[in-house]
Amino acid sequence: MYRCSESDHEGTEQLAAGNFETRIPAKSSGQLSVLAHHLNHMRDSFQQALEGRMKSERMKSELITNVSHDLKTPLTSIINYVHLLKREGTSPEEAHQYIEVLDRKTDRLKVLIDDLFEASKMASGAVELNYEKVDVAALMHQALAECSEKVEEAKLTFRVNASASHLYARLDGMKTWRVFENLISNAVKYSLPNTRVYITMTEQPEHIEIRMQNVSAYEIDFEVEELFERFKRGDQSRHTEGSGLGLAIAKNIVELQGGRLTIEIDGDQFKVKIQFPK
């Protein structure tokens, strides 16, 4: 009969004390060995859950820090320029310049608040979807037309290839348009200038597949999962406009409609794949 060794006792005591780095050695094929395997499996599961909880807490902390930073920056500018407008002796020309800055900063603040509110609704699932027959190919071309000025300013060329002129799926047209707009805006902000962005749309037996590929203007030195964190930006310096919520919102919208959005990073190649059920 197999007896518990001193290392077995020590291992179980360490687990009971909350030290989940410890593993219990399984030295036989008897019931105690099976128990050791079960305890080790329980230890692995708990360790994984604990690491997930710690990551979640870290993400919440980063969210609060980044939201505070992003909201404070335009708000501080608004306060300062309001004080300048109140100052005696301000010329009409100066006042006009200050008002233009205020207009830009209030628009920036509105985008941040709207995106934060939408991301919160998406995460909670409190979103009403209006399903209809949507031409996905036409919707993508519409989104590109709406963003044409930004695309031109970024010195990018979009190449679109669709397996058919019309690709239909049952979706919420407005929210799907928002997905395409967010992905195009993301490519515009973070692509290397004077490069091409490729969009491929194909009809599969059970879904419509959309692929978008661009060359990143910066080194991608973090995990793919981090791109879906709230207020996570591709550029760590955070100098670009936007809320940093674009990919998170796009992913939530796709998943709420029964689809799937994934990202693959291959060197400097940034690849997004969307699958919408037909």
Side-chain angles (χ1 to χ4, degrees):
M1 183 177 69
Y2 176 72
R3 295 180 179 275
C4 293
S5 66
E6 184 177 343
S7 62
D8 294 336
H9 283 300
E10 184 179 346
T12 54
E13 287 174 359
Q14 289 291 328
L15 284 178
N19 181 6
F20 295 101
E21 299 297 325
T22 304
R23 297 188 70 86
I24 301 172
K27 299 180 179 178
S28 76
S29 58
Q31 290 183 354
L32 287 175
S33 177
V34 173
L35 178 61
H37 280 296
H38 287 326
L39 286 172
N40 285 331
H41 179 70
M42 183 175 67
R43 168 256 183 207
D44 292 340
S45 298
F46 194 89
Q47 181 77 2
Q48 193 174 32
L50 183 63
E51 289 173 358
R53 178 67 180 271
M54 291 173 64
K55 182 179 180 181
S56 177
E57 291 300 321
R58 176 180 60 80
M59 287 171 61
K60 287 178 183 177
S61 177
E62 287 183 359
L63 169 62
I64 294 170
T65 301
N66 292 334
V67 169
S68 300
H69 175 273
D70 278 18
L71 293 178
K72 184 178 179 181
T73 301
L75 187 58
T76 301
S77 294
I78 290 170
I79 292 170
N80 290 338
Y81 278 97
V82 167
H83 285 317
L84 288 172
L85 281 172
K86 289 180 178 179
R87 188 181 59 183
E88 292 184 8
T90 302
S91 68
E93 291 79 12
E94 289 175 325
H96 181 70
Q97 291 176 357
Y98 298 157
I99 290 170
E100 284 186 343
V101 174
L102 283 170
D103 190 45
R104 291 198 304 270
K105 297 300 179 182
T106 51
D107 283 346
R108 164 84 172 133
L109 197 59
K110 183 179 183 300
V111 168
L112 288 169
I113 293 171
D114 286 349
D115 279 359
L116 183 59
F117 182 66
E118 184 169 0
S120 177
K121 285 199 304 179
M122 293 291 173
S124 66
V127 180
E128 184 178 343
L129 297 172
N130 299 309
Y131 287 100
E132 57 185 333
K133 186 179 180 181
V134 173
D135 187 340
V136 177
L139 198 64
M140 177 64 79
H141 285 290
Q142 179 187 344
L144 282 168
E146 292 282 345
C147 299
S148 60
E149 190 174 331
K150 293 180 181 179
V151 170
E152 189 175 341
E153 288 175 1
K155 299 178 180 179
L156 297 173
T157 302
F158 276 74
R159 292 280 187 261
V160 182
N161 181 30
S163 61
S165 56
H166 301 285
L167 298 170
Y168 294 103
R170 188 166 176 77
L171 301 167
D172 183 311
M174 290 297 295
K175 288 185 171 55
T176 304
W177 185 88
R178 179 70 191 275
V179 171
F180 294 164
E181 182 193 35
N182 284 3
L183 293 179
I184 294 166
S185 295
N186 190 74
V188 166
K189 290 172 190 172
Y190 302 125
S191 291
L192 188 68
N194 300 307
T195 58
R196 297 181 182 89
V197 180
Y198 292 95
I199 299 175
T200 305
M201 296 178 283
T202 57
E203 184 173 5
Q204 306 294 338
E206 296 183 353
H207 60 260
I208 302 296
E209 185 170 289
I210 301 159
R211 292 177 179 266
M212 185 178 294
Q213 179 177 330
N214 65 285
V215 180
S216 175
Y218 54 89
E219 184 177 358
I220 306 174
D221 56 356
F222 44 84
E223 296 296 323
V224 169
E225 289 77 13
E226 293 184 60
L227 289 166
F228 295 119
E229 293 178 11
R230 304 297 186 261
F231 277 81
K232 187 75 179 184
R233 297 258 185 90
D235 61 330
Q236 298 299 315
S237 61
R238 300 178 61 79
H239 291 319
T240 58
E241 290 295 318
S243 65
L245 287 164
L247 287 174
I249 290 173
K251 187 173 189 291
N252 281 330
I253 292 174
V254 171
E255 290 179 350
L256 283 171
Q257 298 181 98
R260 188 165 177 248
L261 188 153
T262 57
I263 290 175
E264 180 186 346
I265 295 171
D266 183 8
D268 290 334
Q269 294 290 321
F270 187 86
K271 305 173 183 178
V272 179
K273 182 172 76 173
I274 299 174
Q275 291 179 334
F276 283 124
K278 292 167 64 177

